[in-house]
Amino acid sequence: MNGQGEERTAFEIGVVVPKRAVKERDESFDCVEVLVEEFKQAGLTVEKVIGIADEFIKLAAPLETLGRAAAELQIKKPTHIGMDLQFEWDEVEAFVRQPDGSLFSWWERFRCFNHLIYGIVNKRNSAVSLKFDGKEFHWELGESLLKRLEAEGIVKQVFPLHDEIKRKQLLRNWALNWWDFTSQPIDDIYSYFGTKVATYFAFLGMYARWMLFPAALGIMLQLVDLGSSQSMMLPIFFISIILWAVMFFQFWKRKNAALLARWQISYSVVADPGCKVLGLDWSSLQSPVELVKKVGTDRAREKEVFQRAEWFGHMMRFRNDVIIFLTIICLQLPFELAYAHLYEITRPDALKFGLTAVYLLAIQYFTKIGGKISVKLIKHESNESTEYRADSLVYKVFGLYFMQSYIGVFYHILLHRDFKTLRQVLIQRLIVSLVLENLMENSLPYLKYSYRKYGVRHKKRHEKGSSTGKIQFTSRVEKEYLKPSYSASIGEELEDGLFDDFLELALQFGMIMMFACAFPLAFAFAALNNVTEIRADALKLLAMLKRPVPRAAATIGAWLNIFQFLIIMSICTNCVLLVCLYDVEGKWKIEPGLAAILIMEHVLLLIKFGFSRFVPEEPAWVRANRMKNATHAQHMCSKQLLRSISGGEKMILGGGKKTE
Amino acid sequence: MNGQGEERTAFEIGVVVPKRAVKERDESFDCVEVLVEEFKQAGLTVEKVIGIADEFIKLAAPLETLGRAAAELQIKKPTHIGMDLQFEWDEVEAFVRQPDGSLFSWWERFRCFNHLIYGIVNKRNSAVSLKFDGKEFHWELGESLLKRLEAEGIVKQVFPLHDEIKRKQLLRNWALNWWDFTSQPIDDIYSYFGTKVATYFAFLGMYARWMLFPAALGIMLQLVDLGSSQSMMLPIFFISIILWAVMFFQFWKRKNAALLARWQISYSVVADPGCKVLGLDWSSLQSPVELVKKVGTDRAREKEVFQRAEWFGHMMRFRNDVIIFLTIICLQLPFELAYAHLYEITRPDALKFGLTAVYLLAIQYFTKIGGKISVKLIKHESNESTEYRADSLVYKVFGLYFMQSYIGVFYHILLHRDFKTLRQVLIQRLIVSLVLENLMENSLPYLKYSYRKYGVRHKKRHEKGSSTGKIQFTSRVEKEYLKPSYSASIGEELEDGLFDDFLELALQFGMIMMFACAFPLAFAFAALNNVTEIRADALKLLAMLKRPVPRAAATIGAWLNIFQFLIIMSICTNCVLLVCLYDVEGKWKIEPGLAAILIMEHVLLLIKFGFSRFVPEEPAWVRANRMKNATHAQHMCSKQLLRSISGGEKMILGGGKKTE
């Protein structure tokens, strides 16, 4: 596969403009023509496609154009000596290639594209007047053309395009390759979708593979009758499940580290995402580094400023967490309990059905509101990068879903010791997630796509005035444009569709782990579900949706902590389950005093283990100092080193380039 | 203080040789004269002191000699651009000075001294024959002279010397400065004793300061009578103590990070001590890096070799831990329980006293055996550096002490609910540690010193044949030689006296925390003890002992995890205490089934949180790759960078040099 990435420069970005009714006589004033001309001058390869309802500008970038943009962006890339250095086009040989042989990863290419197309500003002597369908407006000096056109509503959308050859390859080798079971071509996924999506699929694959063990155990427990030792089996099953989960996540962390090493992403960058993405404009908004610059170079003052900024940040985050927590406890908890209680006491099934329908509608609405409130709160936090902010959102929203999904089940266990209903609910939910969600995930985007297609056809027919003849969508780019994008059900600004996919996994994990002792067979359902999930998600990404915008993060982020939290929860809930199961005679009465002490103990243990997340080990000023120094060092040695690497070291270090 | 360190080169190393009865006529064959000559040729300043029983060679090194040694050792030092680079004598201006203005830290100087004096080899054409008191032996080609002389028993000891001026300064400002309460001149301690000792005192100071809060709370609880709400106070006290402890250790981590930043020790080095100390010979003995070199550069093979070495190491460590754990459970636990039970049932006080005496003798013996077994086991582990090995030893030996100190107390609580005896035991132990241990710590070394002095005098008198006239020790170096060294009670090879000091703190912490609810006043005792401890330990180090050999580690290492473990234990034990205290009527019977489930829950929670220590997140091969790359990078840019820093950047970055 070596070098293949270089030979072909695919069209990777699409810009959508409406079809013009009137052609300008003088093309130099037509804003679309000007845009195309500027794109060409920026070194991009441009192809114009006239669709049925819109016009599409497809953009590709030759390697040199990308290289120049990368140098302007001061992108840091790993070199053959293992250090991340600023990219320089002249010293291109010094930099390590991607596993597929191309120089830039998809995330880097996307950043470069963004820099190139939004970096087109008016460099002429005066403002240029542009026309579109008769409307005239001015392109001011130093203004970004694309931003202006977006503001005027002329550029409808800028979106990443699928690369048809690679897409088909992946479709064949990955999405439709059911016989591969849980193994996937992770490197190809990485080079096509970027780190975050590839990490998700690597996690999903490993999760599905590891799930086979508890699934087998669960089936055995269900089928084999051990007679007198049967009662001992449940605690043993519980212990092995917990050990399994603990080991799985520790080994996942190792696997993740190995993936990062394979993709040549340095560990420190992942730990401090804020440092890699400093080039983007949204990250440096409120950072204390700015404040320090104003204050000057006095070190004591600097330390003080940092500490104040750090603690203020903590307080804000703490306040927000408290708000969300109280909202969940005071508003959501009573609501969920009320529903669970009503469901329990309602007798006619029709009424039950109606109640559930009302409930389902209500929670849809509530979750949306919760998501919006969370996004608003997070905006006031001074998180260091979008990935941090996305993590903060994930924690908050997961709190909502956690209550929603499990509180009713807890109600059945704790108050009514009603294991039959519990098992019914579990089976019901697992089957729903197995069949319905996998179906929905793929059919919903398809329905949306069909609906939009219909809308366009309908409009077109209306314009033409005739209703005869089927209108075919001939251009692929227009079809892609009509496909829905990979977006989260809440807060599109911070998270993409990965939120929903991870949420599904986390809720499933919680469901099977927390009630493992009540229904060991659940693991088998989950295993089946996960194996299906891999191909269903792959199909969705490749065939049903627009190509997702790449994201920098290369770990599963906040979700790891959520999974860990669910393990702890499941230790506690399963103990309660075991007490309920074995204490059939109700003799093991727990006195209120004892219960209070036990609850206090558990809360304190939780605080002990949770507190280290609240106060970081390294003060902000120490970290800032370290990063400032590192940046300084890299800046100084960058050029000198690059020359020596690309000159002399190529021969010696060439071996490191080969694809693994 | 700037530059002061440079002006004076103090004598820092002492070499002890016996006084010779016969002077060789030809000095060129006298091995001591040859040694002195070679020291002088190596660039060291030499002073010979004739003591009463021995002869002493005092060594000092001019800065240039140290610099050359540092360059030969390829010591990495922080530069003004914040990157650690290999030391070069020509570019000395590029490197950051110590807080006291000297170029090298005490640890670096000690390494250089070691390199210089043990690096004296026979470079002549043939073996040299040397004489000592008539005995003749050969100094072979390429052999280290000092090692040979040590093997022949001529060089009795090589030990670091106190710097009289700085020692007196510290004695005045620190050890005898009782009015400073808990504040100490940490930077001076760092530059005189090195990082590890300074970290200990920084921890001790912070611990003593923080301890005032629970001490005040404990006294309040004891003195104030709140009437009806009195029964609520104990749980509140318990919760605040736990929160206090959790916060203390988190803030200690921050303080430690800040100290590292002040001493210009880079964070990554601390995390990977193996990387900094690679220059020393003991660290590369069994490392997989060596194995890989033999295998070749094939990456897949390399990964495999690393993984096998990593897992083999884990298995060895796991096996050793299991051995120690089983030994403690199967041998020590019954023994301790037997003692506690016998103590309980023995009636006459005289018998009780006799029993305790026998017990105390027995545990002294057992602990020694345990320590020796641990050291032996650890030798089979492939830990990456001595500090790792020392940590491994600390964990194992602490297990012994933990059982020894607390199991009897647990026995009193759990089986007999005997709070009176418990309180008596606690008061007894705290007073013992407050008065006796602080006294012992200082008087024991003094007694040892006096005894040795007496021995020398006695021998001298015997030789002279007369018993008249007091023999005065005139030379300071001889007095120092007779002082005991700062060594651990177990396993001198891996740990020094810090082990005993930390052990004292940890046992005290466990005592006051685990039984906080039974005896809140204990915190006041502990606070008093710790404030005394600071000055007592300082006095011991400065006046009673030889100057300790500096150690590289700059964190409290394994002890942090031990303290954290004690917090968790204390959450659980205090809950048990509360149950015992409030359940006076014995109504809260816990059924065996419930107890089993609760125990299972706690064990699982412990596994969940402990497992991540067993399997590291980053596979060994990933880490090795990263380190190899980093080393490579630093090697490449080292020289180029140094020149540019020491040339141009001095003016700009000069501000960073000032002492903080």
Side-chain angles (χ1 to χ4, degrees):
Chain A
M1 268 173 100
N2 243 2
Q4 180 216 39
E6 243 58 282
E7 290 157 22
R8 216 167 40 80
T9 49
F11 290 101
E12 298 196 292
I13 298 286
V15 179
V16 189
V17 292
K19 231 171 174 173
R20 278 149 300 173
V22 204
K23 270 261 172 207
E24 296 291 328
R25 269 132 303 176
D26 188 355
E27 284 208 337
S28 68
F29 289 110
D30 184 315
C31 65
V32 176
E33 293 304 326
V34 171
L35 187 65
V36 168
E37 203 47 50
E38 291 284 347
F39 280 154
K40 278 181 186 158
Q41 269 178 28
L44 296 166
T45 316
V46 184
E47 195 182 290
K48 254 167 67 179
V49 177
I50 314 277
I52 291 167
D54 296 292
E55 227 177 284
F56 300 90
I57 307 171
K58 280 163 54 176
L59 299 174
L63 194 60
E64 203 183 326
T65 311
L66 285 177
R68 271 192 296 105
E72 275 172 38
L73 278 170
Q74 304 189 312
I75 282 180
K76 275 188 187 138
K77 277 179 74 67
T79 57
H80 284 306
I81 60 161
M83 206 182 205
D84 282 12
L85 293 176
Q86 272 178 23
F87 185 77
E88 301 266 344
W89 175 244
D90 300 332
E91 317 290 348
V92 63
E93 292 297 340
F95 293 96
V96 177
R97 300 259 155 168
Q98 295 295 312
D100 70 343
S102 59
L103 182 63
F104 293 106
S105 69
W106 166 224
W107 184 66
E108 285 164 342
R109 285 204 303 279
F110 188 75
R111 269 187 74 187
C112 292
F113 268 115
N114 256 342
H115 175 75
L116 285 169
I117 62 178
Y118 284 100
I120 295 169
V121 292
N122 189 350
K123 283 184 197 136
R124 287 162 232 200
N125 296 325
S126 62
V128 182
S129 78
L130 297 173
K131 278 182 187 162
F132 181 79
D133 263 354
K135 208 170 65 174
E136 196 175 326
F137 59 92
H138 287 282
W139 180 23
E140 303 294 340
L141 277 172
E143 195 187 27
S144 164
L145 179 59
L146 203 59
K147 277 195 185 143
R148 186 67 210 254
L149 290 178
E150 277 179 345
E152 295 284 337
I154 296 165
V155 169
K156 284 175 161 182
Q157 201 171 28
V158 180
F159 65 98
L161 289 178
H162 272 296
D163 176 347
E164 208 50 28
I165 296 171
K166 284 190 183 166
R167 192 179 76 93
K168 287 228 169 96
Q169 233 171 34
L170 275 173
L171 210 58
R172 207 168 45 239
N173 298 335
W174 178 41
L176 299 175
N177 200 359
W178 284 81
W179 295 119
D180 264 6
F181 205 48
T182 62
S183 69
Q184 305 162 78
I186 288 294
D187 280 346
D188 295 341
I189 302 170
Y190 160 67
S191 58
Y192 192 68
F193 286 116
T195 46
K196 187 104 191 186
V197 172
T199 309
Y200 166 70
F201 279 103
F203 178 78
L204 182 58
M206 185 166 162
Y207 181 57
R209 207 157 42 244
W210 277 63
M211 186 61 91
L212 296 177
F213 166 73
L217 217 61
I219 292 172
M220 252 170 56
L221 204 67
Q222 201 75 15
L223 296 182
V224 182
D225 187 26
L226 285 164
S228 60
S229 58
Q230 185 76 26
S231 66
M232 275 305 294
M233 288 313 289
L234 223 46
I236 291 174
F237 176 71
F238 164 45
I239 291 172
S240 21
I241 292 302
I242 297 291
L243 290 181
W244 166 83
V246 168
M247 281 186 23
F248 169 66
F249 283 100
Q250 199 62 22
F251 279 95
W252 161 251
K253 285 185 210 160
R254 283 170 72 86
K255 168 124 190 167
N256 204 348
L259 282 177
L260 293 182
R262 196 158 76 188
W263 298 334
Q264 306 271 2
I265 297 163
S266 66
Y267 210 68
S268 63
V269 171
V270 178
D272 300 320
C275 118
K276 186 154 195 175
V277 286
L278 222 74
L280 300 181
D281 40 331
W282 36 255
S283 73
S284 54
L285 289 172
Q286 248 295 346
S287 100
V289 183
E290 300 292 300
L291 294 171
V292 169
K293 268 182 199 148
K294 286 172 214 151
V295 173
T297 50
D298 183 10
R299 278 189 82 181
R301 277 295 298 280
E302 186 177 339
K303 199 169 130 181
E304 206 180 291
V305 167
F306 262 103
Q307 269 179 339
R308 208 177 307 145
E310 190 188 5
W311 286 111
F312 181 72
H314 285 313
M315 289 324 294
M316 287 301 285
R317 231 164 296 162
F318 185 67
R319 199 204 59 179
N320 288 349
D321 291 343
V322 167
I323 290 175
I324 292 284
F325 186 74
L326 287 181
T327 316
I328 290 175
I329 294 293
C330 300
L331 295 178
Q332 203 190 355
L333 188 62
F335 171 75
E336 295 286 342
L337 285 177
Y339 166 70
H341 188 69
L342 281 176
Y343 188 83
E344 194 82 8
I345 57 166
T346 315
R347 274 293 138 247
D349 274 358
L351 216 63
K352 249 183 187 168
F353 190 78
L355 189 69
T356 308
V358 169
Y359 167 75
L360 284 177
L361 270 176
I363 60 168
Q364 288 286 338
Y365 194 65
F366 285 162
T367 318
K368 277 235 168 80
I369 293 178
K372 263 179 201 152
I373 293 172
S374 303
V375 170
K376 248 184 206 149
L377 283 176
I378 285 160
K379 271 185 191 148
H380 292 284
E381 288 177 16
S382 62
N383 286 313
E384 277 141 83
S385 72
T386 34
E387 285 301 330
Y388 271 122
R389 258 181 271 183
D391 282 358
S392 186
L393 180 70
V394 167
Y395 289 124
K396 292 184 174 68
V397 177
F398 183 77
L400 290 172
Y401 279 101
F402 180 81
M403 278 289 162
Q404 213 173 79
S405 311
Y406 305 125
I407 206 73
V409 189
F410 281 129
Y411 176 83
H412 289 300
I413 304 171
L414 284 178
L415 262 77
H416 297 274
R417 301 202 172 187
D418 182 357
F419 283 91
K420 226 186 99 205
T421 318
L422 172 62
R423 270 183 211 133
Q424 270 176 9
V425 170
L426 287 177
I427 292 179
Q428 203 176 306
R429 294 219 185 166
L430 284 169
I431 288 175
V432 163
S433 73
L434 177 59
V435 182
L436 272 189
E437 280 188 12
N438 276 334
L439 265 180
M440 286 273 278
E441 252 175 56
N442 275 296
S443 57
L444 212 66
Y446 186 74
L447 287 177
K448 266 191 200 164
Y449 170 52
S450 305
Y451 176 73
R452 284 203 204 159
K453 253 168 137 177
Y454 169 77
V456 170
R457 279 205 194 102
H458 184 78
K459 203 174 145 205
K460 195 79 196 171
R461 281 208 195 94
H462 213 77
E463 277 167 20
K464 274 191 184 170
S466 74
S467 62
T468 52
K470 194 164 156 54
I471 297 161
Q472 287 290 335
F473 286 87
T474 46
S475 63
R476 206 179 294 119
V477 58
E478 183 157 26
K479 279 188 202 159
E480 267 183 50
Y481 169 61
L482 294 175
K483 282 178 184 171
S485 63
Y486 188 49
S487 63
S489 53
I490 48 105
E492 283 189 33
E493 318 145 63
L494 288 176
E495 270 283 346
D496 58 15
L498 279 175
F499 176 81
D500 293 306
D501 288 332
F502 270 121
L503 182 68
E504 204 185 318
L505 279 188
L507 289 178
Q508 186 209 65
F509 182 76
M511 194 68 79
I512 57 176
M513 288 293 293
M514 292 210 287
F515 310 109
C517 286
F519 189 41
L521 210 58
F523 287 89
F525 281 94
L528 200 61
N529 187 8
N530 291 334
V531 174
T532 342
E533 184 82 25
I534 296 176
R535 308 298 155 183
D537 280 353
L539 208 65
K540 181 178 74 179
L541 273 177
L542 285 171
M544 298 302 164
L545 301 173
K546 283 201 189 82
R547 189 175 181 183
V549 169
R551 289 167 72 187
T555 60
I556 65 171
W559 293 105
L560 186 66
N561 294 328
I562 286 174
F563 280 110
Q564 306 270 21
F565 166 74
L566 287 174
I567 296 178
I568 299 168
M569 282 302 294
S570 63
I571 294 177
C572 298
T573 55
N574 276 301
C575 282
V576 175
L577 277 179
L578 283 178
V579 169
C580 293
L581 274 172
Y582 286 112
D583 181 26
V584 270
E585 292 160 45
K587 262 191 189 165
W588 300 356
K589 268 257 169 76
I590 292 188
E591 300 283 321
L594 187 61
I597 288 173
L598 278 177
I599 288 169
M600 186 168 72
E601 185 202 356
H602 283 87
V603 169
L604 284 175
L605 282 175
L606 208 72
I607 288 174
K608 161 76 199 76
F609 289 110
F611 184 74
S612 54
R613 300 208 184 277
F614 177 61
V615 178
E617 286 178 28
E618 205 182 6
W621 66 270
V622 173
R623 191 156 140 253
N625 239 4
R626 193 158 54 88
M627 261 154 65
K628 196 172 71 185
N629 282 336
T631 321
H632 192 124
Q634 290 205 324
H635 182 77
M636 278 202 63
C637 59
S638 188
K639 288 216 174 179
Q640 294 172 339
L641 274 174
L642 282 177
R643 217 151 298 142
S644 54
I645 306 168
S646 62
E649 295 281 312
K650 235 176 78 188
M651 307 273 284
I652 308 159
L653 286 147
K657 261 201 278 185
K658 66 170 182 291
T659 343
E660 214 178 328
Chain B
M1 273 172 97
N2 243 2
Q4 181 216 36
E6 243 57 280
E7 290 156 23
R8 215 167 43 79
T9 50
F11 291 101
E12 297 195 295
I13 298 286
V15 179
V16 189
V17 292
K19 231 171 174 175
R20 278 150 299 171
V22 204
K23 271 260 171 209
E24 297 291 327
R25 268 133 301 175
D26 188 357
E27 284 208 336
S28 67
F29 289 111
D30 184 315
C31 64
V32 176
E33 294 305 324
V34 171
L35 186 64
V36 168
E37 205 46 53
E38 290 284 347
F39 280 155
K40 279 181 187 159
Q41 269 180 29
L44 295 165
T45 315
V46 184
E47 196 182 289
K48 252 167 70 177
V49 177
I50 315 276
I52 291 169
D54 296 291
E55 230 179 280
F56 299 91
I57 305 169
K58 279 161 60 177
L59 300 174
L63 194 60
E64 203 182 323
T65 310
L66 285 178
R68 271 191 295 105
E72 273 172 40
L73 278 170
Q74 303 189 314
I75 282 181
K76 276 189 187 139
K77 277 179 75 64
T79 57
H80 285 306
I81 60 162
M83 206 182 205
D84 281 14
L85 293 177
Q86 272 178 22
F87 184 78
E88 301 265 343
W89 175 245
D90 299 332
E91 318 289 349
V92 64
E93 292 296 339
F95 294 95
V96 177
R97 299 260 156 166
Q98 296 294 310
D100 70 343
S102 58
L103 182 63
F104 293 107
S105 68
W106 167 222
W107 185 67
E108 285 165 341
R109 285 204 303 279
F110 188 76
R111 270 187 72 186
C112 292
F113 267 116
N114 256 342
H115 175 75
L116 285 169
I117 63 177
Y118 284 100
I120 294 170
V121 292
N122 190 352
K123 284 183 197 138
R124 287 160 232 200
N125 297 326
S126 62
V128 182
S129 81
L130 297 173
K131 277 183 185 163
F132 181 81
D133 263 355
K135 209 170 63 176
E136 196 175 327
F137 60 91
H138 289 282
W139 179 24
E140 303 294 338
L141 278 171
E143 195 187 28
S144 164
L145 179 58
L146 202 59
K147 274 194 185 143
R148 187 64 210 256
L149 290 178
E150 278 178 346
E152 295 283 337
I154 295 164
V155 169
K156 282 175 163 181
Q157 202 171 27
V158 179
F159 65 99
L161 289 178
H162 273 295
D163 177 346
E164 208 51 27
I165 297 171
K166 284 190 184 165
R167 191 179 76 94
K168 287 228 170 97
Q169 234 173 32
L170 276 173
L171 210 56
R172 209 169 43 241
N173 298 336
W174 177 42
L176 299 175
N177 201 359
W178 284 81
W179 296 119
D180 265 7
F181 206 49
T182 62
S183 69
Q184 304 162 79
I186 289 293
D187 281 346
D188 295 342
I189 302 171
Y190 160 67
S191 58
Y192 192 68
F193 286 116
T195 44
K196 187 103 192 185
V197 172
T199 310
Y200 166 69
F201 280 103
F203 178 77
L204 182 57
M206 185 167 163
Y207 181 56
R209 209 157 40 245
W210 278 63
M211 186 60 90
L212 296 176
F213 166 73
L217 216 62
I219 292 173
M220 252 171 57
L221 205 68
Q222 200 75 16
L223 297 181
V224 183
D225 187 27
L226 286 163
S228 60
S229 59
Q230 185 76 28
S231 67
M232 274 305 293
M233 287 313 289
L234 223 46
I236 291 173
F237 177 72
F238 165 44
I239 291 171
S240 21
I241 292 302
I242 297 292
L243 290 181
W244 166 82
V246 167
M247 278 182 32
F248 169 66
F249 283 99
Q250 199 64 23
F251 278 97
W252 162 251
K253 284 185 211 160
R254 283 170 73 85
K255 168 124 189 165
N256 204 349
L259 282 177
L260 293 182
R262 197 158 77 189
W263 297 335
Q264 306 271 3
I265 297 163
S266 65
Y267 210 69
S268 63
V269 170
V270 179
D272 299 321
C275 119
K276 186 158 195 174
V277 285
L278 221 74
L280 300 180
D281 39 331
W282 35 255
S283 72
S284 54
L285 290 171
Q286 248 295 345
S287 100
V289 183
E290 299 292 301
L291 295 171
V292 169
K293 270 183 197 149
K294 287 171 213 152
V295 172
T297 50
D298 182 10
R299 277 189 80 184
R301 275 301 292 280
E302 187 177 338
K303 199 167 130 182
E304 206 179 291
V305 167
F306 263 104
Q307 269 178 341
R308 208 177 307 144
E310 190 188 4
W311 285 111
F312 181 72
H314 286 313
M315 289 324 295
M316 285 302 285
R317 233 164 296 160
F318 185 69
R319 199 204 59 177
N320 288 349
D321 291 343
V322 167
I323 290 175
I324 291 284
F325 186 75
L326 287 180
T327 316
I328 290 175
I329 294 292
C330 300
L331 295 179
Q332 204 191 356
L333 188 62
F335 171 74
E336 296 286 341
L337 285 177
Y339 166 69
H341 188 68
L342 281 176
Y343 188 84
E344 194 84 6
I345 57 167
T346 313
R347 272 295 137 244
D349 273 359
L351 216 65
K352 246 181 190 173
F353 190 78
L355 189 70
T356 308
V358 170
Y359 167 74
L360 284 177
L361 271 175
I363 60 168
Q364 288 286 339
Y365 193 66
F366 286 163
T367 318
K368 279 242 165 76
I369 293 177
K372 264 180 201 148
I373 293 172
S374 303
V375 170
K376 250 187 205 144
L377 284 176
I378 285 160
K379 274 188 189 144
H380 293 283
E381 288 177 15
S382 61
N383 286 312
E384 277 141 83
S385 73
T386 36
E387 285 300 330
Y388 271 123
R389 257 182 270 181
D391 282 358
S392 186
L393 180 70
V394 167
Y395 288 125
K396 292 183 174 68
V397 178
F398 184 77
L400 289 172
Y401 279 101
F402 181 80
M403 277 289 161
Q404 213 171 80
S405 311
Y406 306 125
I407 205 73
V409 190
F410 281 129
Y411 175 83
H412 289 300
I413 305 172
L414 285 178
L415 262 80
H416 296 274
R417 301 204 173 186
D418 182 357
F419 282 91
K420 226 185 98 205
T421 317
L422 171 62
R423 266 178 217 141
Q424 271 177 8
V425 170
L426 287 177
I427 291 179
Q428 205 176 306
R429 294 217 185 167
L430 284 169
I431 289 176
V432 163
S433 73
L434 176 59
V435 182
L436 273 188
E437 279 187 13
N438 275 335
L439 265 180
M440 288 271 279
E441 252 175 56
N442 276 295
S443 58
L444 214 65
Y446 185 75
L447 287 176
K448 267 190 200 164
Y449 171 51
S450 305
Y451 177 72
R452 283 202 204 162
K453 253 169 135 177
Y454 169 76
V456 170
R457 278 203 194 107
H458 185 78
K459 203 174 145 203
K460 195 78 195 169
R461 280 205 197 99
H462 213 77
E463 277 167 20
K464 276 189 181 173
S466 74
S467 60
T468 52
K470 195 164 154 60
I471 297 161
Q472 286 290 335
F473 285 86
T474 45
S475 62
R476 204 179 294 121
V477 57
E478 183 157 25
K479 280 189 203 159
E480 266 183 52
Y481 169 59
L482 294 175
K483 282 179 185 171
S485 62
Y486 188 49
S487 63
S489 53
I490 48 102
E492 283 190 32
E493 319 144 62
L494 288 176
E495 270 282 344
D496 58 15
L498 279 174
F499 176 81
D500 293 304
D501 288 332
F502 270 121
L503 181 68
E504 205 185 317
L505 280 188
L507 289 180
Q508 187 209 62
F509 182 76
M511 195 68 78
I512 56 177
M513 288 294 292
M514 292 209 287
F515 311 109
C517 287
F519 188 40
L521 209 57
F523 286 90
F525 280 94
L528 200 60
N529 188 8
N530 291 334
V531 173
T532 341
E533 183 84 24
I534 295 176
R535 307 300 154 180
D537 280 353
L539 207 64
K540 182 178 73 179
L541 273 177
L542 285 172
M544 300 299 163
L545 300 174
K546 283 200 189 84
R547 189 174 182 183
V549 169
R551 289 166 72 186
T555 60
I556 64 172
W559 294 104
L560 186 67
N561 294 328
I562 285 174
F563 280 111
Q564 307 269 21
F565 166 74
L566 287 174
I567 296 178
I568 298 167
M569 282 302 296
S570 64
I571 294 176
C572 298
T573 56
N574 276 300
C575 283
V576 174
L577 277 179
L578 283 179
V579 169
C580 292
L581 274 172
Y582 285 113
D583 182 27
V584 271
E585 292 160 45
K587 262 191 189 167
W588 300 356
K589 269 259 170 75
I590 292 186
E591 300 280 325
L594 187 61
I597 288 172
L598 278 177
I599 288 171
M600 186 168 73
E601 185 202 356
H602 283 87
V603 169
L604 284 175
L605 282 174
L606 208 71
I607 289 174
K608 160 78 199 75
F609 288 111
F611 184 74
S612 55
R613 300 209 183 278
F614 178 60
V615 178
E617 286 178 27
E618 205 183 5
W621 64 271
V622 172
R623 189 155 142 254
N625 239 6
R626 193 157 54 90
M627 260 154 64
K628 195 173 70 188
N629 284 336
T631 320
H632 193 122
Q634 291 205 323
H635 182 78
M636 277 200 65
C637 60
S638 188
K639 288 215 175 180
Q640 294 172 340
L641 273 176
L642 281 177
R643 218 152 296 142
S644 54
I645 306 167
S646 64
E649 294 282 311
K650 234 174 80 188
M651 308 270 285
I652 308 158
L653 285 148
K657 260 203 276 182
K658 66 168 181 293
T659 346
E660 215 177 325

